[in-house]
C-alpha cells in the first residue's frame, strides 16, 4: 500500500506542477501571480461562491495567499468588492470586464490540461475517474473536518 500511496501523491504533485507550468506563460503575459490566476479562474467557474472564504475553502488556497492576491486583483481593476447586505463582514468578489479574457484563457489552459491527463482514456473511464475522485474528495473533506474538531 505504501508504494500506492507514494504513486498517488506523486501523481497529484505532477499534475499540479504541470498545471502551474501551463499557467506561468499566462501569468507572465498578464502580470499575474499563480494565486491571482487561480482566483480569477475560481470566480469565473463558481457563480455564487464569491468570497475569499469560499476561495480558501473550495480551492484550497492558503488564506495568507488569498488576501494579498485579492487586493492586488482589486488594484489591477480585475475584480470588484461588494459588502454583503446581511453580514457586513462578508465581501463578495466579482470579475470586471477586464478580467473576462484572462479567465477565458485560464479556462482554455484547464481544458488543455484535461486533454493531456485523460489522453488515451475512454469517456467511460473518465466518468469512472470523476466518480471515484468525488468520493476521494468527500472522504478527505470528512477526515479533515474530524481532525479540526480534535
Amino acid at each position: 500500500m505504501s508504494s500506492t500511496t507514494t504513486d498517488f501523491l506523486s501523481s497529484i504533485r505532477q499534475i499540479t506542477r504541470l498545471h502551474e507550468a501551463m499557467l506561468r506563460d499566462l501569468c507572465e503575459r498578464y502580470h499575474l501571480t499563480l494565486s491571482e490566476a487561480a482566483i480569477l479562474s475560481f470566480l469565473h467557474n463558481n457563480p455564487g461562491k464569491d468570497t475569499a472564504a469560499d476561495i480558501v475553502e473550495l480551492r484550497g488556497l492558503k488564506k495568507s495567499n488569498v488576501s494579498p492576491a485579492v487586493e492586488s486583483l482589486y488594484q489591477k481593476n480585475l475584480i470588484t468588492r461588494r459588502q454583503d447586505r446581511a453580514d457586513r463582514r462578508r465581501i463578495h468578489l466579482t470579475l470586471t470586464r477586464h478580467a473576462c479574457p484572462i479567465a477565458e484563457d485560464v479556462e482554455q489552459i484547464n481544458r488543455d490540461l484535461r486533454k493531456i491527463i485523460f489522453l488515451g482514456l475512454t469517456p467511460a473511464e473518465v466518468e469512472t475517474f470523476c466518480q471515484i475522485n468525488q468520493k476521494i474528495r468527500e472522504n478527505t473533506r470528512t477526515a479533515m473536518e474530524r481532525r479540526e474538531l480534535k
Side-chain angles (χ1 to χ4, degrees), residues 9-137:
L9 293 173
S10 177
S11 292
I12 292 169
R13 286 186 193 102
Q14 286 178 330
I15 292 168
T16 300
R17 282 197 302 268
L18 174 60
H19 187 238
E20 289 175 355
M22 293 172 77
L23 282 172
R24 277 197 181 86
D25 288 339
L26 173 132
C27 289
E28 288 177 19
R29 187 171 357 133
Y30 291 110
H31 308 288
L32 299 171
T33 65
L34 286 172
S35 293
E36 290 170 343
I39 290 167
L40 293 176
S41 177
F42 180 87
L43 292 172
H44 180 72
N45 287 316
N46 296 282
K49 302 291 184 184
D50 61 357
T51 67
D54 292 331
I55 295 166
V56 168
E57 177 187 348
L58 300 172
R59 181 60 172 77
L61 297 176
K62 293 180 181 179
K63 185 177 181 180
S64 61
N65 292 338
V66 171
S67 295
V70 164
E71 180 60 29
S72 177
L73 291 169
Y74 178 77
Q75 294 297 323
K76 293 175 182 179
N77 196 29
L78 296 173
I79 62 170
T80 61
R81 300 184 286 206
R82 179 183 49 81
Q83 199 169 47
D84 189 281
R85 291 181 183 156
D87 182 350
R88 296 171 47 107
R89 295 170 297 175
R90 291 177 48 90
I91 305 295
H92 297 278
L93 309 171
T94 306
L95 297 178
T96 66
R97 64 181 171 82
H98 304 291
C100 292
I102 301 169
E104 290 169 10
D105 286 353
V106 171
E107 285 316 301
Q108 183 59 52
I109 289 169
N110 291 342
R111 285 190 294 274
D112 292 345
L113 176 70
R114 286 190 296 275
K115 284 181 189 175
I116 291 168
I117 65 175
F118 293 132
L119 183 68
L121 298 179
T122 66
E125 289 171 326
V126 172
E127 179 60 30
T128 298
F129 169 82
C130 291
Q131 291 169 354
I132 291 168
N133 193 48
Q134 176 64 29
K135 288 180 183 179
I136 290 170
R137 279 198 323 267

